Amino acid sequence: MDIPVIDDPVGAFVPHGRFTLAGAATGALAGLRFAAKDLFDVAGHPTGAGNPDWLRSHAHPTRHHPVVAQLLQAGATLVGKTITDELAYSIHGDNHHYGTPVNSAAPGRVPGGSSSGSAAAVAARLCDFALGTDTGGSTRVPASYCGVWGLRTTFGLLSCKAMAPLCPDFDTVTWLAHDAGIFERVGRVLLPQTGGVQLRRALLPFDALELADPEFHPAIHQVYDALRMLMPGEHMRLGGEEGALENWRRAYISASAYDAWQTHGHWISTTQPRFGAAVQARWDMARDTSAETAHAARREQDLVRHRVRSLLGPDGVAVIPSAASVAPLCTASAGEIDQVRARTFRLTCVAGLAGLPQVSMPFATPTGLPIGVSLLGPAGSDLALIGLATRIWRALQADAR
């Protein structure tokens, strides 16, 4: 049976990604449609990584990414490939070559990146869920901006083979969904079972809370209070001393930039691809990041990893903002964007440096703009964390009615 190419009124799909692949006739995800960020290999179709020069200089893949294959085998139908910020090196959501997908949940505002097209497609209900990646916030931020479910998986839990990398030492495979039930169904297919994980302590890090705009605070306290109905709670600081989260952000930026240049520097130097100005500036910074700077950042990462994992232990869950602000306006100045980016990275770098899972739940400000509230959990607790997040979210939605 021929499956029609879907209509795309929000500009979420790349021109070379307009195709469909039917999933198995039966399976846990039968009847669902998904899209894949244009970093994932799909056999017989090009992987563009958000840049026409990458598209031109790389051969078409001959095999599916393992997660794509797993989803097709579970019955989900792939409906195309979505826009990503160039080589996934941004959390803003625009693309110099393919444009900015429309954030239908917050018109006139950016969708967030680098999983911009995936978030936009899910928010517009063009598909049931979409694959993304998260290195420094590339799923958690667009999930927050577009009002959908998203997560960063535990580092190394899902394969990053057969996809275009950004920073192999930080990249994770993720997905976004507009429905809590679908989000959890996908998790049950892709993630290992975590029946032995018991999340029994709720943590509210007030240094993380202070980084987000005040519009986030009521929803964060709602989630924390709901958790406290199930388990003991504790107010604490993630970073310990004043300014620690800014130091962590700088460590993440240096370590990831060096990793990115080691991964792509040769291709960039020989191909000389055309990048948008903001992405080009990041590659220039990555090129100039020394091994000594990266080594110092790695030492800081080791300390962060030990601290955060020790605070959570095997059973703790922290409630934190998914981003620092609502989605910026598409007309925001470069200075405004950089300021929001820096604040948001102080939040998103925590899971990245510590290699931990983080689930973003969709909420809204009093004026109706999307925001995300996250649960950060122990390594490997991904499925249990999703289960706890969906349970809490549903209870709060029922109370609101």
Side-chain angles (χ1 to χ4, degrees):
M1 180 180 66
D2 291 335
I3 305 172
V5 173
I6 64 173
D7 185 32
D8 179 19
V10 299
F13 290 81
V14 288
H16 53 277
R18 305 301 306 278
F19 62 87
T20 58
L21 287 177
T26 60
L29 303 179
L32 297 183
R33 303 189 304 171
F34 76 103
K37 184 178 183 176
D38 194 25
L39 300 181
F40 290 85
D41 284 354
V42 176
H45 297 275
T47 301
N51 182 274
D53 293 306
W54 182 280
L55 182 69
R56 172 181 56 81
S57 61
H58 288 76
H60 289 199
T62 58
R63 59 174 181 163
H64 296 326
H65 183 282
V67 166
V68 172
Q70 195 172 356
L71 292 171
L72 291 169
Q73 290 164 6
T77 291
L78 176 62
V79 294
K81 300 186 77 173
T82 54
I83 289 177
T84 171
D85 297 36
E86 293 179 81
L87 269 67
Y89 212 171
S90 177
I91 58 168
H92 191 60
D94 58 350
N95 185 294
H96 178 70
H97 309 282
Y98 301 119
T100 304
V102 174
N103 182 348
S104 58
R109 296 178 180 270
V110 299
S114 63
S115 305
S116 54
S118 291
V122 167
R125 307 297 198 268
L126 303 185
C127 53
D128 298 296
F129 67 98
L131 290 177
T133 63
D134 192 303
T135 303
S138 288
T139 287
R140 291 164 287 166
V141 173
S144 184
Y145 287 1
C146 292
V148 298
W149 288 86
L151 84 162
R152 176 192 170 89
T153 49
T154 297
F155 179 74
L157 191 65
L158 298 180
S159 175
C160 287
K161 294 179 180 178
M163 61 180 273
L166 172 58
C167 307
D169 289 342
F170 294 95
D171 293 343
T172 62
V173 169
T174 71
W175 67 95
L176 306 103
H178 55 75
D179 176 83
I182 292 173
F183 182 70
E184 192 167 12
R185 281 173 66 186
V186 175
R188 287 197 293 267
V189 167
L190 295 181
L191 296 170
Q193 296 298 311
T194 52
V197 174
Q198 299 294 322
L199 299 172
R200 294 179 291 203
R201 293 184 301 119
L203 307 175
L204 183 63
F206 57 85
D207 52 347
L209 182 63
E210 290 166 354
L211 289 172
D213 288 343
E215 291 88 344
F216 281 72
H217 294 190
I220 290 170
H221 283 292
Q222 276 187 317
V223 172
Y224 177 66
D225 290 343
L227 284 173
R228 288 188 62 216
M229 299 292 289
L230 304 174
M231 61 189 72
E234 177 187 349
H235 287 217
M236 39 78 77
R237 294 183 70 92
L238 270 177
E241 61 189 33
E242 191 74 25
L245 295 183
E246 170 59 14
N247 293 335
W248 294 7
R249 180 191 73 86
R250 292 178 181 178
Y252 168 79
I253 293 297
S254 295
S256 62
Y258 185 80
D259 187 25
W261 188 256
Q262 298 310 300
T263 303
H264 292 301
H266 177 73
W267 176 76
I268 291 172
S269 298
T270 55
T271 306
Q272 297 187 340
R274 298 158 294 142
F275 290 122
V279 174
Q280 181 64 61
R282 289 184 197 112
W283 284 116
D284 292 344
M285 180 268 295
R287 179 196 60 214
D288 295 337
T289 300
S290 68
E292 292 76 18
T293 298
H295 185 62
R298 288 295 192 184
R299 289 199 303 269
E300 179 73 8
Q301 180 182 3
D302 289 342
L303 295 174
V304 173
R305 180 185 176 94
H306 176 74
R307 175 174 175 79
V308 176
R309 290 190 174 212
S310 296
L311 286 170
L312 291 176
D315 58 359
V317 56
V319 184
I320 62 175
S322 302
S325 74
V326 299
L329 292 167
C330 293
T331 55
S333 68
E336 291 170 323
I337 293 167
D338 286 345
Q339 190 270 337
V340 167
R341 175 184 169 86
R343 277 200 295 137
T344 291
F345 263 116
R346 292 179 196 128
L347 293 165
T348 60
C349 74
V350 177
L353 291 168
L356 298 178
Q358 181 179 330
V359 175
S360 181
M361 300 173 280
F363 287 88
T365 69
T367 58
L369 289 175
I371 55 173
V373 176
S374 281
L375 299 185
L376 176 72
S381 68
D382 303 50
L383 196 55
L385 199 65
I386 289 173
L388 179 62
T390 54
R391 177 184 175 186
I392 291 296
W393 184 85
R394 288 181 176 125
L396 290 173
Q397 298 302 305
D399 288 346
R401 290 194 293 268

